[in-house]
């Protein structure tokens, strides 16, 4: 299934760049709040401690450098962890939600709710 998500995200990016409309099935994610700089993707846009953009489509057990803010453009919740391998404190981001400060750095992220 991750291949399908990546293909959908790539298709959305190509359509956004070329100006083609998205099919209704691909446009299910809620748009995050304005003011969060991010390309139109069906994933998570995040900025690391050096203010570099990162786009997450799949689970990432080791995020280096760690991220500090994110916007969830996907149609799924995501769980963010402050330690490698999905450990430590965690925070869930609902579809369309933006976090400008997690309160801790993020070193791992997984698609799906925090359990």
């Amino acid at each position: 299934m991750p291949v399908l998500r990546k293909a959908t995200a790539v298709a959305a990016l190509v359509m956004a760049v070329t100006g083609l409309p998205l099919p209704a099935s691909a446009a299910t994610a809620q748009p995050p709040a304005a003011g969060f700089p991010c390309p139109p993707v069906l994933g998570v846009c995040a900025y690391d401690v050096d203010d570099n953009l990162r786009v997450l489509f799949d689970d990432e057990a080791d995020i280096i450098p760690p991220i500090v803010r994110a916007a969830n453009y996907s149609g799924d919740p995501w769980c963010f962890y402050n330690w490698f391998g999905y450990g430590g404190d965690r925070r869930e981001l609902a579809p369309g939600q933006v976090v400008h400060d997690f309160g801790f750095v993020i070193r791992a992220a997984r698609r799906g709710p925090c359990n």
Side-chain angles (χ1 to χ4, degrees), residues 1-114:
M1 199 62 131
V3 172
L4 179 58
R5 286 186 186 133
K6 277 187 184 179
T8 302
V10 169
L13 183 58
V14 168
M15 288 178 180
V17 170
T18 61
L20 296 173
L22 282 172
S25 63
T28 58
Q30 302 270 336
F36 195 91
C38 180
V41 296
L42 293 177
V44 171
C45 285
Y47 284 85
D48 65 25
V49 294
D50 298 323
D51 210 30
N52 295 312
L53 174 66
R54 245 188 114 101
V55 180
L56 307 176
F57 297 107
D58 292 316
D59 299 353
E60 300 237 3
D62 299 314
I63 298 175
I64 301 171
I67 59 175
V68 292
R69 58 189 176 121
N72 185 354
Y73 279 81
S74 77
D76 301 313
W78 279 72
C79 191
F80 294 86
Y81 303 83
N82 81 320
W83 202 244
F84 301 110
Y86 314 110
D89 293 332
R90 58 186 160 198
R91 177 147 181 208
E92 187 172 314
L93 233 63
Q97 188 176 3
V98 175
V99 171
H100 291 281
D101 182 6
F102 282 97
F104 48 84
V105 297
I106 301 301
R107 293 182 176 97
R110 180 180 290 168
R111 185 184 292 266
C114 295

